[in-house]
């Protein structure tokens, strides 16, 4: 199927319908995916018995199914915090924040993770800032 | 007894003693050899490399054809009875199959009876076809995509005797050594028979070997046929039997026996032979297949079923007759088995991988952590991120499109080349790599090694640097596109030119990127400073040193496709760099986890400027230089990306992403001559073919909390007043939206019309 040549001048073509910048995500919550739910349960079980690597692996599997699921990123951040991987914990929580939209409970968990990661790294000022964010969110709940 | 007799006896005793003094140490030496070798016997096992396991769940995008292809890559057989693992049966918009149990590092997947029903290119129902119970998630066994060998090598897949079907063992014993469980390593009757035959012919021609002797011969001895060697063999067989159980010896035999050859690769053991000839694991074989394999012990190349089907059939009948003779099978079973086709897969699964470009990337990443000899001898199991379905689509798209472009652009056949990397946006897993149009050829891997100027692919780094300064730059900021000359201290003055050689006047920042204007980009880059742009590239993940010359702003930077992929991964994931990975985990030969390569991300940009940049990159596709790709994509598949073209049309690039997938395509010639292709007319089309077929999902952006929307008049870059009915709504970092209201004075023509005029009517919008 040879497509028409389009590198030349576009002048003669009709205007495309959708030229205004594509806006932007109504914030539709994703339908709960039973596979992701099952993997979250699995991660919970694994972390309860102290198998944190296996819990993290289950969460990574869930992220392959739903890479934009803020809750899964948030849980992975918490596992990394438990494992003492403080930089990863903070980065993963920030990633979750970036996808959480207005999900106050996920945002709050993330700021809690960030606050703890920062304070354990000795970044007390940063930890206080995160605590402030956390309080602000808890006010909204 | 006479004196003489006594003397003789004494002499005999002395001689026996002398013999013993010589023989006993020798036998002890043989005993030592036998034991140390047998116990220390560690076969050198190549590392096995697996693709990602396919995970099935309700709602996932998947076509029946793609699932069918995956199952057939796995060696599942079509069989409507569905009474054993590894069988599948396609139906009307559904597929039923029985999965194989498989041990992953984190858990074991049991064998399951699965029914998948499809609707609209997605999995609609997923259930156990017997109980009807819904299944949340089914993880298939992973496709073996290659092994890592030394140059000349024995290849084998180890089995334990408990995993070998009993009938296969019975067949082997019936044919090769029917007294195996009764003798002590040698069988005097058959030795006597063989000796007689040998005496008659005057040399050692006949074996009469037990399985134990055959094993000894393979393990310890050369294949010369001398009496001395036969004697050694017999002694060692006796010793082996004295030390080890029948099952231990048999297990070693099952793994040792030579059953075929492919180039420099020798096929050893029944387990690998089963995959090599039938594409199936040993425990799925049936009587006719056992019979053939056991028969082939006698001469794997003479009876090679691929080259000598007649001989192989005759051999199989012979073996079946032996089994019938010994009443191991019924006459009916023998008849059915004789009538069965050989069932050999036409081409052996190659020892070298069919995916050399990905294996190349994998080996480079493995090299950081493993020694070469560990990879070729320890039997490591390597689980990768590789997706065979996306790879296939990528290879086909590249090959077909390049052939078509050669014709269309009158390029001599075979001269145009290309390379592709496909990865996941958010976790950096590499899904597919094409190192050239000939995917099976493991030569120059352009995806990893072709270092080419990236042209306008660099521009997102320029604009991201600017958009990170919200007080100075927004998507609506007007940039000056009129001609300019920069004085280059110590060099020639630099006067960048637009691809269309036009002056576009004052253009909004959004449009300057969407249409890839060079002059306004160069002016912008000089305003913010080249070193800042270079720093941005580093933060995005480009490791290479880049000298901060102004020409960098327009892409005079040479990168490989994989480096570009890392740079765009950071953008596609909202500013969270995830190092590109090809490995998920490495397990020992016994399945114990050795090393994981976990997901790691690093936030290198605030989400807000990356969000603005991505909005502009969507505009590249919906209204800018990559607009032509829309007709290639399924309806509703929104994407973002950037075209790149270099001087005289030598390199054609496109880097872009959908909701989950990122692909970078380069098209050009190895001799670096012009191709006549821009980014849009070359690489973009390959990209569109790939994204259109891999079940990509639309890019939907969540605006970060610090972003607000405002209506602006793009002609003035000011906030749209009530008179500007058709102004454009754009995202701004909080507090950066223009405050001043645009007059929108010229009334009759609304701003949207002017917007279009500016971009699509006044000038041809060719990419650079």
């Amino acid at each position: 199927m040879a497509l028409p040549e389009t590198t030349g001048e576009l002048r003669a073509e009709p205007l495309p319908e959708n030229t205004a910048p594509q806006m932007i995500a109504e914030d539709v919550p994703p339908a709960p995916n039973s596979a992701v739910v099952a993997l979250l349960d699995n991660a919970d079980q694994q972390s309860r018995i102290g198998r944190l690597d296996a819990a993290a692996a289950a969460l990574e599997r869930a992220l392959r199914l739903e890479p934009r699921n803020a809750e899964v990123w948030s849980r992975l951040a918490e596992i990394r915090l438990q494992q003492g991987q403080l930089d990863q914990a903070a980065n993963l929580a920030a990633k979750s924040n970036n996808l959480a939209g207005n999900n106050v409970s996920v945002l709050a968990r993330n700021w809690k993770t960030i606050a703890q990661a920062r304070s354990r790294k000795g970044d007390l000022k940063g930890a206080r800032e995160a605590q402030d964010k956390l309080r602000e969110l808890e006010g909204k709940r | 007894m006479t004196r003489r007799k006594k003397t003789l006896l004494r002499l005999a005793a002395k001689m026996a003693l002398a013999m013993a003094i010589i023989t006993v140490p020798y036998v002890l030496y043989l005993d030592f050899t036998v034991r140390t070798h047998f116990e220390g016997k560690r076969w050198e096992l190549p590392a096995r490399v697996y693709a990602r396991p396919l995970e099935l769940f309700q709602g996932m995008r998947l076509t029946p054809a793609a699932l069918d292809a995956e199952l057939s890559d796995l060696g599942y057989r079509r069989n409507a009875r569905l009474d054993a693992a590894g069988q599948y049966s396609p139906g009307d918009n559904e597929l039923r199959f029985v999965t194989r149990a498989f041990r992953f590092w984190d858990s074991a997947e049991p064998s399951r009876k699965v029914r998948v029903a499809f609707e609209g290119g997605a999995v609609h129902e997923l259930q156990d076809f017997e109980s009807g119970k819904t299944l949340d998630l089914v993880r298939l066994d992973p496709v073996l995509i290659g092994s890592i060998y030394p140059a000349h090598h024995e290849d084998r897949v180890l089995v334990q005797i408990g995993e070998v079907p009993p009938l296969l063992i019975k067949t082997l014993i019936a044919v090769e050594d029917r007294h195996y469980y009764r003798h002590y390593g040698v069988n005097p009757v058959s030795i006597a028979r063989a000796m007689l035959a040998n005496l008659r012919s005057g040399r050692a021609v006949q074996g009469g070997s037990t399985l134990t002797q055959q094993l000894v011969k393979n393990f310890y001895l050369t294949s010369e046929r001398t009496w001395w060697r036969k004697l050694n063999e017999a002694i060692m067989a006796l010793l082996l039997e004295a030390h080890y159980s029948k099952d231990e010896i048999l297990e070693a035999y099952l793994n040792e026996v030579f059953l075929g050859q492919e180039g420099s690769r020798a096929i050893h053991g029944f387990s690998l032979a089963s995959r090599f000839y039938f594409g199936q694991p040993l425990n799925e074989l049936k009587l006719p297949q056992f019979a053939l394999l056991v028969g082939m012990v006698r001469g794997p190349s003479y009876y090679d079923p691929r080259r000598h089907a007649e001989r192989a059939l005759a051999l199989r009948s012979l073996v079946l007759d032996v089994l019938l003779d010994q009443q191991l099978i019924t006459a009916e079973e023998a008849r059915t088995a004789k009538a069965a086709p050989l069932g050999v897969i036409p081409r052996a699964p190659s020892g070298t991988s069919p995916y050399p470009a990905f294996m190349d990337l994998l080996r480079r990443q493995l090299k950081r952590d493993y020694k070469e000899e560990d990879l070729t001898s320890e039997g490591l199991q390597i689980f990768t991120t590789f997706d065979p379905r996306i790879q296939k689509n990528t290879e086909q798209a590249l090959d077909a499109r390049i052939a078509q472009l050669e014709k269309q652009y009158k390029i001599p056949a075979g001269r145009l080349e290309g390379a592709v990397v496909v990865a996941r946006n958010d976790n950096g897993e590499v899904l597919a790599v094409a190192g050239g149009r000939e995917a099976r050829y493991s030569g120059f891997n352009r995806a990893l090694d072709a270092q080419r100027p990236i042209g306008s692919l660099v521009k997102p780094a320029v604009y991201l640097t600017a958009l990170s300064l919200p007080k100075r730059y927004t998507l609506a900021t007007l940039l000056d596109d009129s001609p300019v000359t920069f004085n280059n201290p110590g060099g020639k003055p630099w006067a960048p030119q637009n691809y269309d050689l036009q002056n576009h006047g004052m253009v909004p920042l959004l449009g300057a990127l969407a249409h890839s204007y060079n002059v306004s980009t160069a002016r912008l880059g000089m305003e913010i400073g080249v070193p800042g742009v270079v720093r941005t590239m580093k933060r995005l993940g480009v490791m290479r040193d880049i000298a901060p010359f102004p020409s960098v702003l327009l892409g005079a930077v040479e990168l490989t496709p994989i480096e570009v992929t890392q740079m765009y991964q950071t953008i596609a994931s909202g500013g969270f760099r995830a190092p590109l990975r090809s490995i998920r985990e490495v397990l020992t030969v016994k399945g114990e986890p050795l090393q994981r390569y976990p997901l790691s991300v690093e936030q290198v940009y605030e989400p807000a400027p990356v969000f603005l940049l991505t909005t502009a990159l969507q505009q590249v596709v919906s209204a800018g230089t990559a607009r032509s790709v829309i007709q290639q994509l399924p309806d509703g598949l929104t994407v973002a990306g950037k075209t790149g073209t270099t001087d005289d049309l030598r390199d054609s690039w496109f880097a872009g992403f959908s909701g989950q997938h990122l692909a970078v395509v380069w098209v050009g010639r190895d001799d670096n001559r012009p191709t006549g292709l821009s980014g849009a007319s070359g690489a973009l089309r390959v990209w569109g073919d790939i994204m259109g077929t891999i079940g990509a999902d639309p890019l939907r952006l969540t605006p970060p909390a610090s972003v607000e929307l405002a209506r602006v008049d793009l002609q003035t870059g000011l906030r749209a007043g009530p008179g500007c009915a058709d102004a454009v709504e754009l995202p701004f970092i909080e507090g950066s939206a223009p405050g001043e209201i645009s007059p929108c004075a010229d009334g009759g023509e609304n701003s949207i019309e002017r917007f279009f005029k500016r971009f699509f009517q006044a000038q041809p919008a060719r990419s650079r």
Side-chain angles (χ1 to χ4, degrees):
Chain A
M1 41 143 208
L3 293 168
E5 168 58 15
T6 49
T7 47
E9 306 191 357
L10 294 174
R11 195 178 315 204
E13 285 185 27
L15 295 176
E17 270 171 46
N18 193 6
T19 35
Q22 207 121 37
M23 283 293 101
I24 301 169
E26 347 60 89
D27 212 355
V28 191
N33 175 332
S34 62
V36 171
V37 172
L39 286 167
L40 285 171
D41 286 348
N42 180 307
D44 268 354
Q45 285 166 21
Q46 302 282 7
S47 85
R48 265 200 299 276
I49 57 171
R51 294 190 57 199
L52 297 179
D53 268 339
L59 294 170
E60 283 189 40
R61 279 174 76 189
L63 285 177
R64 290 188 196 107
L65 313 189
E66 282 191 351
R68 303 183 68 78
N69 186 322
E71 187 178 345
V72 183
W73 286 98
S74 181
R75 302 268 281 269
L76 187 56
E78 289 166 357
I79 297 284
R80 294 306 182 208
L81 183 68
Q82 273 179 273
Q83 293 180 306
Q85 299 179 23
L86 305 177
D87 286 333
Q88 269 312 299
N91 277 304
L92 292 163
K95 173 84 186 179
S96 174
N97 275 341
N98 189 29
L99 300 168
N102 298 321
N103 189 334
V104 176
S105 74
V106 170
L107 289 168
R109 288 176 70 162
N110 291 336
W111 282 112
K112 201 167 160 188
T113 301
I114 293 170
Q116 288 185 23
R118 286 179 182 170
S119 87
R120 283 166 64 181
K121 282 193 73 173
D123 173 11
L124 299 182
K125 182 168 166 281
R128 263 199 308 279
E129 283 167 13
Q131 289 288 357
D132 290 345
K133 293 269 191 191
L134 181 58
R135 263 192 296 279
E136 197 183 306
L137 285 163
E138 275 167 353
K140 282 187 194 169
R141 276 210 268 197
Chain B
M1 199 181 282
T2 65
R3 237 185 126 83
R4 207 175 143 209
K5 270 184 185 161
K6 269 189 189 160
T7 316
L8 269 178
L9 257 180
R10 243 194 319 261
L11 189 63
K14 274 184 187 159
M15 278 178 68
L17 188 67
M19 285 281 285
I21 288 169
I22 300 167
T23 314
V24 169
Y26 183 67
V27 171
L28 284 176
Y29 160 74
L30 287 184
D31 186 57
F32 177 78
T33 309
V34 162
R35 282 164 56 192
T36 50
H37 280 225
F38 192 83
E39 270 154 40
K41 186 71 188 176
R42 258 176 66 266
W43 283 287
E44 298 212 330
L45 298 174
R48 304 288 168 194
V49 181
Y50 293 98
R52 59 86 189 97
L54 182 64
E55 305 224 28
L56 299 168
F57 58 98
Q58 220 179 64
M60 81 181 288
R61 280 164 198 276
L62 185 73
T63 60
L67 181 54
D68 195 314
E70 180 87 13
L71 293 175
S72 96
D73 277 1
L74 283 166
Y76 281 43
R77 295 294 174 103
R78 279 182 189 233
N79 186 336
R81 281 161 58 187
L82 294 173
D83 55 3
Q87 298 181 349
Y88 76 108
S89 170
D92 185 19
N93 233 4
E94 69 161 42
L95 248 157
R96 288 165 191 252
F97 50 94
V98 184
T99 66
R100 294 182 187 134
F102 193 88
R103 253 214 91 72
F104 290 94
W105 81 275
D106 56 339
S107 62
E109 294 287 332
S111 170
R112 293 206 259 200
K113 302 174 177 219
V114 182
R115 172 179 171 270
V116 182
F118 298 90
E119 204 177 281
V123 172
H124 181 59
E125 280 173 330
L126 182 66
Q127 56 187 189
D128 183 313
F129 65 70
E130 239 171 36
S131 69
K133 222 183 115 210
T134 295
L135 300 168
D136 289 329
L137 184 59
V138 173
R139 180 160 55 165
L140 297 181
D141 47 322
V143 175
L144 182 70
I145 57 168
S147 305
I148 300 178
Y149 303 107
H152 288 269
H153 49 271
E154 295 184 358
D155 193 6
R156 55 169 57 74
V157 173
L158 291 186
V159 280
Q160 293 180 335
I161 195 154
E163 302 161 348
V164 180
L167 185 56
L168 186 148
I169 293 176
K170 284 183 190 153
T171 307
L172 177 68
I173 287 172
V175 172
E176 286 296 319
D177 183 3
R178 72 178 68 174
H179 302 296
Y180 178 69
Y181 280 104
R182 275 169 284 159
H183 63 61
Y184 297 100
V186 293
N187 187 353
V189 181
S190 58
I191 287 183
R193 205 168 34 226
M195 278 174 80
L196 208 62
N198 291 344
L199 279 174
R200 275 195 201 121
S201 72
R203 1 175 233 127
V205 290
Q206 207 171 346
S209 291
T210 63
L211 289 177
T212 319
Q213 284 170 291
Q214 293 183 31
L215 181 64
V216 164
K217 189 169 73 185
N218 270 312
F219 263 19
Y220 309 107
L221 300 168
T222 60
S223 59
E224 52 173 342
R225 293 189 162 182
T226 64
W227 290 101
W228 178 242
R229 206 222 62 194
K230 284 287 324 172
L231 184 67
N232 273 333
E233 180 188 295
I235 297 170
M236 288 169 98
L238 288 167
L239 291 168
L240 201 59
E241 294 265 352
H243 289 298
Y244 305 103
S245 73
K246 288 282 178 189
D247 277 357
E248 284 171 314
I249 294 166
L250 192 58
E251 184 175 290
Y253 183 95
L254 291 166
N255 285 312
E256 172 63 28
V257 63
F258 170 68
L259 284 165
Q261 186 80 35
E262 186 214 24
S264 64
R265 169 184 179 225
I267 308 302
H268 283 262
F270 281 96
S271 182
L272 180 61
S274 169
R275 290 166 198 275
F276 183 77
Y277 292 109
F278 305 112
Q280 283 177 287
L282 194 56
N283 61 14
E284 287 174 17
L285 298 193
K286 300 278 185 287
L287 174 63
Q289 297 163 313
F290 296 155
L292 177 60
L293 280 187
V294 167
M296 287 176 63
V297 169
R298 293 291 174 95
S301 82
Y302 185 81
Y303 295 111
D304 183 343
R306 292 202 180 89
R307 285 183 300 146
H308 308 296
E310 291 296 312
R311 279 182 206 165
L313 273 172
L315 173 73
R316 191 181 69 179
S317 296
L318 219 63
V319 172
L320 290 165
D321 286 339
V322 172
L323 296 181
L324 180 59
D325 252 16
Q326 298 190 25
Q327 299 178 345
L328 290 166
I329 56 173
T330 65
E332 174 59 28
E333 282 170 334
R335 240 194 326 276
T336 319
K338 282 184 188 178
L342 278 175
V344 169
I345 51 175
R347 279 180 44 194
S350 170
T352 49
S353 175
Y355 310 111
F358 181 85
M359 291 291 281
D360 191 10
L361 173 66
L362 174 74
R363 288 188 79 138
R364 293 184 200 195
Q365 298 198 342
L366 283 169
K367 229 174 229 166
R368 298 178 200 155
D369 299 318
Y370 296 91
K371 286 182 294 190
E372 181 74 13
E373 65 256 36
D374 292 344
L375 296 173
T376 56
S377 69
E378 297 295 323
L380 300 179
Q381 304 180 58
I382 296 163
F383 291 82
T384 72
T385 58
F386 183 78
D387 186 319
R389 303 277 73 74
I390 290 181
Q391 177 74 23
K392 192 156 282 177
N393 289 326
T394 299
E395 288 171 6
Q396 279 169 358
L398 186 64
D399 186 41
R401 183 56 78 178
I402 281 192
Q404 183 260 317
L405 289 170
E406 274 179 343
K407 276 201 199 110
Q408 189 183 345
Y409 287 84
K410 312 269 186 291
I411 300 165
R415 289 297 169 79
L416 196 59
E417 267 296 349
V420 186
V421 178
V422 185
R424 283 179 186 270
N425 294 348
D426 290 279
N427 65 11
E429 289 188 338
V430 177
L431 302 172
V433 181
R437 58 195 293 187
E438 295 228 27
R440 300 283 89 78
Y441 169 68
S442 64
F444 182 41
N445 190 345
R446 293 163 192 82
L448 310 190
D449 295 327
Q451 211 177 302
R452 293 298 194 126
I454 62 171
S456 298
L457 292 193
V458 80
K459 284 178 184 160
V462 179
Y463 285 80
L464 180 57
T465 315
L467 290 167
S468 301
L469 305 165
K471 290 194 181 110
R472 290 169 64 190
Y473 301 100
T474 70
L475 291 177
T477 303
L478 293 183
L479 302 180
D480 186 354
D481 195 56
S482 62
V484 66
T485 300
F486 299 102
N487 289 317
N488 212 352
K492 280 189 294 183
W494 183 49
Q497 299 224 304
N498 280 331
Y499 186 73
D500 59 7
L501 304 174
Q502 304 282 319
N503 162 13
H504 309 100
M506 296 302 283
V507 291
L509 184 144
L510 172 74
L513 180 55
H515 298 293
S516 208
Y517 295 149
N518 289 334
V519 181
S520 39
T521 303
R523 282 174 176 270
L524 173 66
M526 295 304 275
E527 263 173 45
I528 54 183
V530 182
V533 173
V534 171
R535 273 198 302 278
T536 298
M537 292 182 73
K538 299 244 153 184
R539 275 165 83 178
L540 291 173
V542 178
M543 311 282 239
R544 199 181 288 274
D545 276 334
I546 299 164
F549 297 123
S551 57
V552 165
L553 299 171
L554 298 181
V557 182
E558 293 189 354
L559 297 180
T560 61
I562 193 103
E563 288 176 299
V564 172
T565 308
Q566 182 70 71
M567 178 175 156
Y568 276 76
Q569 181 278 325
T570 309
I571 297 168
S573 69
F576 290 81
R577 185 176 67 214
L580 294 180
R581 287 179 300 157
S582 59
I583 317 166
R584 286 185 184 171
E585 53 259 342
V586 177
L587 272 56
T588 66
V589 67
K590 290 184 178 145
E592 292 143 0
L594 200 59
Q595 194 168 7
R596 291 203 64 229
Y597 292 78
L599 164 63
S600 91
V601 299
E602 185 186 353
Q603 180 169 25
V604 293
Y605 272 93
E606 285 301 315
V610 180
F611 177 82
L612 300 188
L613 173 67
T614 309
T615 304
L617 293 176
Q618 280 188 319
Q619 192 73 355
V620 171
V621 178
S622 58
T625 55
R627 207 154 59 96
S628 59
V629 81
I630 294 171
Q631 54 197 303
Q632 264 177 282
L633 298 177
D635 279 350
L637 178 55
T638 49
V639 295
K642 186 69 195 80
T643 50
T645 312
T646 60
D647 290 343
D648 307 324
L649 306 171
R650 292 175 200 275
D651 300 282
S652 163
W653 287 95
F654 191 77
F657 46 95
S658 67
Q660 295 191 17
H661 297 109
L662 158 69
V664 173
V665 180
W666 169 84
V667 173
R669 292 176 59 150
D670 286 343
D671 60 13
N672 201 23
R673 291 171 62 174
T675 61
L677 296 167
S678 67
S681 59
L684 176 62
R685 291 168 142 204
V686 177
W687 189 92
D689 291 338
I690 295 170
M691 280 292 173
T693 50
I694 62 173
D697 58 340
L699 176 65
R700 299 169 71 224
L701 298 170
T702 317
S706 57
V707 162
E708 58 191 16
L709 296 177
R711 285 161 47 80
V712 290
D713 169 23
L714 280 179
Q715 181 151 39
T716 57
L718 300 178
R719 193 179 281 264
C724 315
D726 293 311
V728 181
E729 196 167 52
L730 287 182
F732 291 89
I733 294 175
E734 248 169 5
S736 71
E740 199 183 330
I741 308 283
S742 168
C744 287
D746 33 358
E749 191 178 54
N750 67 35
S751 60
I752 262 289
E753 279 164 355
R754 286 197 307 269
F755 177 82
F756 290 146
K757 230 181 195 171
R758 182 177 292 276
F759 293 122
F760 305 118
Q761 298 181 327
Q763 304 92 19
R766 296 180 74 176
S767 76
R768 183 185 194 276

